[in-house]
Amino acid sequence: MRVTILGSAAGGGFPQWNCACRNCSRLRAGDPHFRPRTQAQLAVRFADGQSILLNASPDLRTQIVSAPFLAPAKTPRDSPISGVVLTSADVDCVIGLLHLRESHPLHVYAMPSVRRALQEENHIFRVLDRATPPAVWHDIPRDTWFPLETIRAKSGESAPLCRAVPLGGAYPDFVSEGLRRLLPPDEAVVGIVVAEGGKQFVYAPSVPEPSEELKAWVQSSDLCLLDGTFWTDDEMISASLGSKTAREIGHLPLSAADGLLATRELAARGRPVLIHINNTNPILDEASAEHDEAQRAGWEIAHDGMEFEL
Ligand SMILES: [Zn+2]
């Protein structure tokens, strides 16, 4: 399978339309040590040419149009995209579903609670159900692999499989308190493992805590694309851009003593890559000490267009 990073930034992208932080300002000024990034989005292409998306970013239409392998190839109305797997109900993970409403056969895989939050309280997503044919929603099962309905196995090999890794975290603010009380907390944010032909990768753009289960999946994977949102816990506060810490919004800071870079098990095997990078994060400056420090800790820093063949 081939994994393509269509977008590598956290919510807001880089630059963010209303942000004049140091990074966004330097990028706008043309500093060559910065490159623009769209909001986090993965595509996975399998041997039969079919692709699935991991999450559906607000930039999804532009990201699809910019990727030649996602262009229609067969009939006048066609797409190799056959499904979307969601890691949470966060706006940045789901709003791109509305870009996929053009009556294309689509399978959407989500934890049951994420599906309920979208379908029961956000009626705009009914455009997917009213399409011809309607989107087919699948509840992701707990603690087991599930097949991607539309992806055929390579000859002589088993079909690709996915599974969810619960990561803790919280449901987004737009979910009503009444519904939130009913939803199990461990379905709010998950990582996704995708396996095909003896290879596998993990995608977890939000890691509130590096659980033992996540560490185990990372250590058995050939590639891990993990939460590179913030360098420090107080990054938004010290830049006068917000009142919450990284941890309060579900992201383990990279540089903390118990942060992502210090959690050696996460970079012990395979290819570790930081993704979902907030526009305030100093690692976006390719001349910075922080960029260097992340690389010396063994991590690659994702950019749009990066590809991995597994
Ligand atoms: Zn900014």
Side-chain angles (χ1 to χ4, degrees):
M1 61 185 153
R2 175 173 292 184
V3 181
T4 304
I5 296 179
L6 299 178
S8 52
F14 184 50
Q16 179 174 318
W17 67 279
N18 62 346
C19 187
C21 73
R22 178 185 177 273
N23 285 348
C24 289
S25 301
R26 295 305 311 154
L27 176 64
R28 283 194 195 94
D31 187 322
H33 298 112
F34 294 85
R35 54 174 114 194
R37 287 169 165 85
T38 60
Q39 295 166 90
Q41 179 66 49
L42 289 198
V44 189
R45 182 162 37 151
F46 296 98
D48 67 353
Q50 295 280 296
S51 290
I52 58 152
L53 303 174
L54 295 196
N55 287 331
S57 94
D59 294 321
L60 188 57
R61 181 193 163 277
T62 310
Q63 291 166 330
I64 292 172
V65 170
S66 305
F69 71 93
L70 294 177
K74 295 176 191 156
T75 56
R77 185 60 65 81
D78 171 60
S79 169
I81 297 169
S82 60
V84 183
V85 185
L86 301 177
T87 61
S88 80
D90 283 349
V91 170
D92 297 332
C93 298
V94 304
I95 207 73
L97 289 172
L98 301 177
H99 287 301
L100 301 175
R101 68 192 181 282
E102 265 87 29
S103 292
H104 174 68
L106 192 70
H107 293 256
V108 183
Y109 302 84
M111 298 305 289
S113 301
V114 168
R115 179 181 55 74
R116 285 189 66 182
L118 299 182
Q119 289 194 307
E120 291 180 18
E121 294 197 334
N122 292 275
H123 296 170
I124 196 166
F125 289 102
R126 287 183 186 168
V127 294
L128 294 169
D129 305 325
R130 291 189 178 152
T132 313
V136 181
W137 290 77
H138 301 264
D139 284 346
I140 296 177
R142 284 165 176 258
D143 303 323
T144 188
W145 295 97
F146 61 94
L148 299 162
E149 297 290 333
T150 50
I151 309 292
R152 289 178 295 279
K154 221 187 313 188
S155 68
E157 291 188 8
S158 50
L161 294 171
C162 288
R163 68 185 294 152
V165 183
L167 295 175
Y171 290 98
D173 291 345
F174 68 72
V175 178
S176 70
E177 273 186 39
L179 180 58
R180 214 177 303 183
R181 272 197 296 272
L182 299 174
L183 302 179
D186 62 349
E187 291 188 9
V189 179
V190 298
I192 297 293
V193 187
V194 183
E196 189 203 33
K199 299 283 185 180
Q200 78 182 33
F201 75 93
V202 186
Y203 181 52
S206 297
V207 178
E209 280 298 327
S211 66
E212 293 307 312
E213 186 178 356
L214 177 67
K215 289 178 193 170
W217 284 109
V218 163
Q219 288 179 73
S220 63
S221 294
D222 304 285
L223 169 69
C224 54
L225 302 145
L226 300 186
D227 185 345
T229 311
F230 295 112
W231 183 253
T232 54
D233 198 34
D234 66 348
E235 192 164 311
M236 296 297 281
I237 299 167
S238 61
S240 305
L241 295 171
S243 57
K244 290 187 173 174
T245 64
R247 290 176 198 269
E248 282 170 346
I249 53 176
H251 299 286
L252 185 69
L254 293 174
S255 68
D258 59 347
L260 203 78
L261 299 187
T263 310
R264 297 289 172 196
E265 299 97 319
L266 297 178
R269 187 182 167 268
R271 206 169 155 181
V273 180
L274 298 171
I275 193 169
H276 194 270
I277 305 165
N278 198 59
N279 56 69
T280 51
N281 192 326
I283 64 171
L284 290 173
D285 180 354
E286 292 171 9
S288 69
E290 292 86 350
H291 182 93
D292 194 43
E293 189 177 334
Q295 288 189 319
R296 275 189 282 109
W299 291 83
E300 291 179 71
I301 295 165
H303 57 80
D304 294 15
M306 216 171 177
E307 289 202 312
F308 309 89
E309 191 76 48
L310 298 180

Coordinates of all heavy atoms in Angstrom, one line a residue, residues 13-25 28 241 278-281 284, ligand 1:
G13 N -4.5 25.1 9.4 CA -3.5 25.1 8.3 C -2.3 26.0 8.6 O -2.2 26.6 9.6
F14 N -1.4 26.1 7.6 CA -0.3 26.9 7.7 C 0.0 27.6 6.4 O 0.3 27.0 5.4 CB 0.9 26.1 8.2 CG 2.2 26.9 8.4 CD1 2.2 28.0 9.2 CD2 3.4 26.5 7.8 CE1 3.3 28.7 9.4 CE2 4.6 27.2 8.1 CZ 4.5 28.3 8.9
P15 N -0.1 29.0 6.3 CA -0.5 29.8 7.4 C -2.0 29.8 7.7 O -2.8 29.4 6.8 CB -0.2 31.2 6.9 CG -0.4 31.1 5.4 CD 0.0 29.7 5.0
Q16 N -2.4 30.1 8.9 CA -3.8 30.2 9.2 C -4.3 31.6 8.8 O -3.6 32.6 9.0 CB -4.0 30.0 10.7 CG -5.4 30.1 11.2 CD -5.5 29.7 12.7 OE1 -4.9 28.8 13.2 NE2 -6.3 30.5 13.4
W17 N -5.5 31.6 8.3 CA -6.0 32.8 7.6 C -6.0 34.1 8.5 O -5.8 35.2 8.1 CB -7.4 32.6 7.0 CG -8.5 32.4 8.1 CD1 -8.8 31.2 8.7 CD2 -9.4 33.4 8.6 NE1 -9.8 31.4 9.6 CE2 -10.2 32.7 9.6 CE3 -9.7 34.7 8.4 CZ2 -11.3 33.3 10.3 CZ3 -10.7 35.3 9.1 CH2 -11.5 34.6 10.0
N18 N -6.2 33.9 9.8 CA -6.3 35.0 10.7 C -5.2 35.0 11.7 O -5.3 35.6 12.8 CB -7.6 35.0 11.5 CG -7.8 33.8 12.3 OD1 -7.1 32.8 12.2 ND2 -8.8 33.9 13.2
C19 N -4.0 34.4 11.4 CA -3.0 34.3 12.4 C -1.7 35.0 12.0 O -1.2 34.9 10.8 CB -2.6 32.8 12.7 SG -1.4 32.6 14.0
A20 N -1.2 35.9 12.9 CA 0.1 36.6 12.6 C 1.1 36.2 13.6 O 1.9 37.0 14.0 CB -0.2 38.1 12.7
C21 N 1.1 34.9 14.0 CA 2.2 34.4 14.9 C 3.5 34.5 14.1 O 3.5 34.7 12.9 CB 1.9 33.0 15.4 SG 2.1 31.7 14.1
R22 N 4.6 34.2 14.8 CA 5.9 34.3 14.1 C 6.0 33.5 12.9 O 6.4 33.9 11.8 CB 7.0 34.0 15.1 CG 8.4 34.0 14.5 CD 9.5 33.5 15.4 NE 10.8 33.5 14.7 CZ 11.2 32.5 14.0 NH1 10.5 31.5 13.8 NH2 12.4 32.6 13.3
N23 N 5.6 32.2 13.0 CA 5.7 31.3 11.9 C 4.8 31.7 10.7 O 5.3 31.7 9.6 CB 5.2 29.9 12.3 CG 6.2 29.1 13.2 OD1 7.4 29.6 13.3 ND2 5.8 28.1 13.8
C24 N 3.5 32.1 11.0 CA 2.6 32.4 9.9 C 3.2 33.7 9.2 O 3.1 33.8 8.0 CB 1.2 32.7 10.4 SG 0.4 31.1 10.9
S25 N 3.7 34.6 10.0 CA 4.2 35.9 9.4 C 5.5 35.6 8.6 O 5.6 36.2 7.5 CB 4.6 36.9 10.6 OG 3.4 37.2 11.3
R28 N 4.4 34.0 5.3 CA 3.9 35.0 4.4 C 4.9 35.9 3.8 O 4.8 36.4 2.7 CB 2.8 35.9 5.1 CG 1.5 35.2 5.3 CD 0.4 36.2 5.7 NE -0.7 35.5 6.3 CZ -0.9 35.2 7.6 NH1 0.0 35.7 8.5 NH2 -1.9 34.5 8.0
L241 N -2.4 33.5 22.0 CA -3.3 33.0 21.0 C -4.4 32.1 21.6 O -5.3 31.7 20.8 CB -2.6 32.2 19.9 CG -1.6 33.1 19.1 CD1 -0.7 32.2 18.2 CD2 -2.3 34.1 18.2
N278 N 0.8 22.2 14.5 CA 0.1 23.5 14.6 C 1.0 24.7 14.1 O 2.3 24.6 14.2 CB -0.2 23.8 16.1 CG -1.3 24.9 16.2 OD1 -2.4 24.8 15.6 ND2 -0.9 26.0 16.8
N279 N 0.4 25.7 13.6 CA 1.2 26.8 12.9 C 2.1 27.5 13.9 O 3.0 28.2 13.5 CB 0.3 27.7 12.1 CG -0.9 28.3 13.0 OD1 -0.6 29.1 13.8 ND2 -2.1 27.9 12.7
T280 N 1.8 27.4 15.2 CA 2.7 28.0 16.2 C 4.0 27.2 16.5 O 4.9 27.6 17.2 CB 2.0 28.2 17.5 OG1 1.4 26.9 17.9 CG2 0.9 29.3 17.4
N281 N 4.0 25.9 16.1 CA 5.1 25.0 16.5 C 6.4 25.4 15.9 O 6.5 25.4 14.6 CB 4.7 23.6 16.1 CG 5.5 22.5 16.7 OD1 6.7 22.7 16.9 ND2 5.0 21.4 17.0
L284 N 8.3 24.0 12.6 CA 8.0 24.3 11.2 C 9.1 25.2 10.6 O 9.2 25.3 9.4 CB 6.6 25.1 11.2 CG 5.4 24.2 11.4 CD1 4.1 25.1 11.5 CD2 5.2 23.2 10.3
Ligands
ZN1 ZN 0.1 31.2 13.1

